[in-house]
Amino acid sequence: MVEKKDLRNGILEREYKGFEDFEVLNELEQPFFVMDFNPAHSRHLWACKRTCYYWNCTFEEFVSKDLQTGTSPAARKYMDSVYEKVQVRNETDHQLKTLHPSGGEPLTYNMEIRPIKVKLPTEEEAKTYALVIASATDLEHSRRDESERSKTFDNARRSYELLRHIDDISILFSLEGKTVFMSVAAEEFYVGSGRVRSKEEMNLKAVFESIMWNTPQQEVDVWKRVSDLRPGDEVLEWEVRKRKFCPDPTVPCKELWYIMRFRAVCDPVSGLNCILVVEQNISNLKRSQDLQKAQEEFFAAVSHELRTPLNGIIGLSDSLLRMCETSNLNAQSFAKTLKVIMSSGNRLASLVNDILDAASLRKQTLVMRQEVVVLRDVTEHVLDILAPLVKKGVLLVNEIEPSFPTIVADSGRVSQVLTNLVSNAIKFTE
């Protein structure tokens, strides 16, 4: 430490080399910190332990706090005036300021700001900075119970640690749309994927750009409602689609479903109104709902398809019994009825085979045989089975020539395909 007289101001200056001599301030219960109010690069340079404790942050977080971006015009004007008075004219400034330390109730401090000359290791010569001494006006309030403050600090750390392991995306934005805080999941989704280049560039607009809106007007309407949110308003909630970000536009990106919730809250650190955005991934839930819907539709369709031939078998069997009881048997009528029963039975067998094939496809165990198939014969067999289902005035005609060449295929699968095609044609032909 070097002492010398400043003949211009008539005061005793102390020129400090670094902040080693300031360590003694760590033993005091009063907040002290050194700041550079220079408009070109306003920053914190040093803080005692009590300052970090009151502001609920580490030393590294305090000195790395960004004082340039996001500063309101009023705050910037105040900082410029302090710079001019303290660091340029070497005068002491006194201010009465209300702060929000550690996210608790606001405290009013007498801020004494003194000029101090320090030579930083990174600078060639000593420069004048500002030593800020904060004295609480409410002494009893400032000396609140130590165990309660420690408990609050521990709970904050615990909450942050729990938030790190929650998959939901959580981001706190200022009313101007700038990021105040983002969870690990949010950082991975937006920054880690390459949607935005850095945490500093993340903003509320990037959230809206990640959503697949139904119409451009929907995005405009939602943006207005979110922008108008204030504390006490109801939570805004939408179910939206997003695409997993892919830098290569030619690569298809996976579609994701999210429930987006927008809530107006008060930032516990700054005390300012903010917007909390929580995004919950419900893609698995949507897929399970779609699967359940498909299964319900499948079973409904199968039940309908099974019911038709079953009713035919039951009705025709009853008709045969009546004919037997009355001895009114006609060979041609009897043969026709049996043919219809056989057709209905074959149709049931075909439907059951379709269900079994669907299960085999899911398990990837479906077997395809290779054999010589006479396509005309297979078609004729299919038409014979389905002929009883034909409506009056509709004809089924096999126009495949006998000379049509044979093919190599699975005759069962060919029959299955033709049965489905022709049965649908019969069903929807008037």
Side-chain angles (χ1 to χ4, degrees):
M1 184 173 65
V2 180
E3 292 190 5
K4 62 179 182 178
K5 278 284 185 179
D6 186 340
L7 299 178
R8 293 170 302 169
N9 298 298
I11 62 172
L12 180 66
E13 278 195 350
R14 288 184 173 86
E15 183 179 305
Y16 293 89
K17 294 182 178 180
F19 295 106
E20 292 82 359
D21 293 332
F22 288 67
E23 294 300 321
V24 68
L25 297 178
N26 285 323
E27 305 301 322
L28 303 178
E29 293 187 1
Q30 190 172 353
F32 293 84
F33 59 93
V34 178
M35 183 173 173
D36 184 1
F37 284 91
N38 191 326
H41 44 71
S42 300
R43 53 185 173 153
H44 293 140
L45 298 174
W46 180 87
C48 69
K49 291 181 179 179
R50 182 56 53 173
T51 300
C52 298
Y53 185 65
Y54 269 73
W55 267 261
N56 192 17
C57 64
T58 64
F59 176 84
E60 290 74 16
E61 291 171 339
F62 188 81
V63 298
S64 62
K65 183 176 176 62
D66 184 5
L67 302 180
Q68 291 293 105
T69 59
T71 303
S72 66
R76 183 69 267 169
K77 184 177 180 180
Y78 161 73
M79 293 169 68
D80 291 348
S81 67
V82 173
Y83 172 74
E84 181 67 26
K85 183 176 182 179
V86 177
Q87 294 181 235
V88 176
R89 302 201 305 265
N90 288 329
E91 299 175 2
T92 299
D93 184 62
H94 292 86
Q95 296 280 344
L96 192 65
K97 302 287 290 183
T98 300
L99 305 176
H100 297 77
S102 69
E105 297 179 6
L107 292 177
T108 303
Y109 284 89
N110 283 318
M111 307 289 285
E112 183 177 345
I113 308 174
R114 299 179 178 181
I116 186 171
K117 208 153 206 176
V118 181
K119 182 183 181 303
L120 300 177
T122 56
E123 303 288 348
E124 294 182 357
E125 58 182 19
K127 294 183 179 179
T128 301
Y129 300 109
L131 172 63
V132 182
I133 307 168
S135 303
T137 56
D138 187 345
L139 187 60
E140 182 179 354
H141 195 179
S142 67
R143 295 180 178 178
R144 66 181 62 178
D145 184 72
E146 188 72 19
S147 63
E148 187 64 29
R149 179 175 289 279
S150 178
K151 181 180 178 181
T152 301
F153 182 73
D154 289 342
N155 285 338
R157 290 176 55 196
R158 188 176 294 112
S159 299
Y160 179 75
E161 182 64 22
L162 290 174
L163 189 60
R164 289 181 63 243
H165 299 284
I166 294 177
D167 293 333
D168 291 353
I169 294 172
S170 302
I171 314 177
L172 188 66
F173 293 102
S174 67
L175 295 183
E176 293 76 27
K178 296 181 179 179
T179 302
V180 177
F181 170 82
M182 61 193 309
S183 66
V184 174
E187 189 172 345
E188 289 176 354
F189 183 85
Y190 287 100
V191 182
S193 66
R195 286 183 185 273
V196 294
R197 289 180 292 184
S198 65
K199 291 172 63 175
E200 290 70 25
E201 293 187 13
M202 181 62 193
N203 52 41
L204 186 58
K205 184 179 179 182
V207 172
F208 275 70
E209 290 175 346
S210 71
I211 298 173
M212 300 170 59
W213 300 99
N214 295 329
T215 62
Q217 186 59 43
Q218 182 190 20
E219 181 178 3
V220 173
D221 294 342
V222 173
W223 177 270
K224 185 178 186 308
R225 292 189 63 186
V226 171
S227 301
D228 292 340
L229 269 178
R230 292 298 180 267
D233 293 347
E234 292 186 1
V235 178
L236 301 181
E237 180 178 306
W238 287 275
E239 191 175 285
V240 300
R241 289 179 301 148
K242 294 190 174 191
R243 286 197 187 279
K244 197 169 184 179
F245 181 73
C246 298
D248 187 352
T250 62
V251 177
C253 298
K254 183 178 179 182
E255 187 174 287
L256 304 171
W257 280 92
Y258 281 85
I259 288 181
M260 305 282 296
R261 296 184 178 91
F262 300 84
R263 182 193 301 269
V265 298
C266 179
D267 178 15
V269 176
S270 66
L272 300 177
N273 291 338
C274 293
I275 297 174
L276 175 64
V277 179
V278 178
E279 307 180 28
Q280 182 181 5
N281 191 333
I282 58 168
S283 301
N284 291 335
L285 177 61
K286 291 290 290 187
R287 280 192 287 269
S288 65
Q289 290 175 343
D290 292 342
L291 178 60
Q292 182 179 357
K293 183 179 179 182
Q295 288 176 337
E296 291 173 353
E297 292 175 351
F298 171 75
F299 286 122
V302 168
S303 299
H304 176 75
E305 293 293 336
L306 291 175
R307 187 185 299 114
T308 301
L310 277 174
N311 288 337
I313 291 174
I314 293 170
L316 292 170
S317 300
D318 181 66
S319 177
L320 284 177
L321 285 173
R322 291 179 183 275
M323 291 170 64
C324 292
E325 290 173 356
T326 59
S327 299
N328 186 20
L329 293 176
N330 180 285
Q332 185 178 0
S333 176
F334 191 77
K336 183 178 179 180
T337 303
L338 285 178
K339 191 173 182 180
V340 174
I341 291 176
M342 182 179 292
S343 174
S344 298
N346 287 328
R347 178 61 180 155
L348 280 175
S350 176
L351 289 171
V352 171
N353 288 334
D354 286 347
I355 296 172
L356 294 174
D357 287 345
S360 298
L361 282 171
R362 284 197 299 270
K363 297 178 181 178
Q364 298 183 347
T365 59
L366 185 66
V367 177
M368 302 290 288
R369 296 179 300 169
Q370 290 190 353
E371 54 189 335
V372 177
V373 177
V374 180
L375 194 57
R376 177 180 172 81
D377 293 347
V378 175
T379 305
E380 195 65 33
H381 176 69
V382 170
L383 296 184
D384 287 341
I385 293 175
L386 298 177
L389 303 179
V390 175
K391 302 170 185 175
K392 189 175 181 180
V394 178
L395 296 176
L396 288 180
V397 180
N398 185 357
E399 294 186 346
I400 299 178
E401 299 291 338
S403 59
F404 192 86
T406 59
I407 61 173
V408 177
D410 187 327
S411 61
R413 303 300 170 204
V414 174
S415 177
Q416 189 178 28
V417 171
L418 288 174
T419 299
N420 288 332
L421 289 173
V422 176
S423 64
N424 283 333
I426 293 173
K427 184 187 300 183
F428 297 107
T429 300
E430 297 297 333

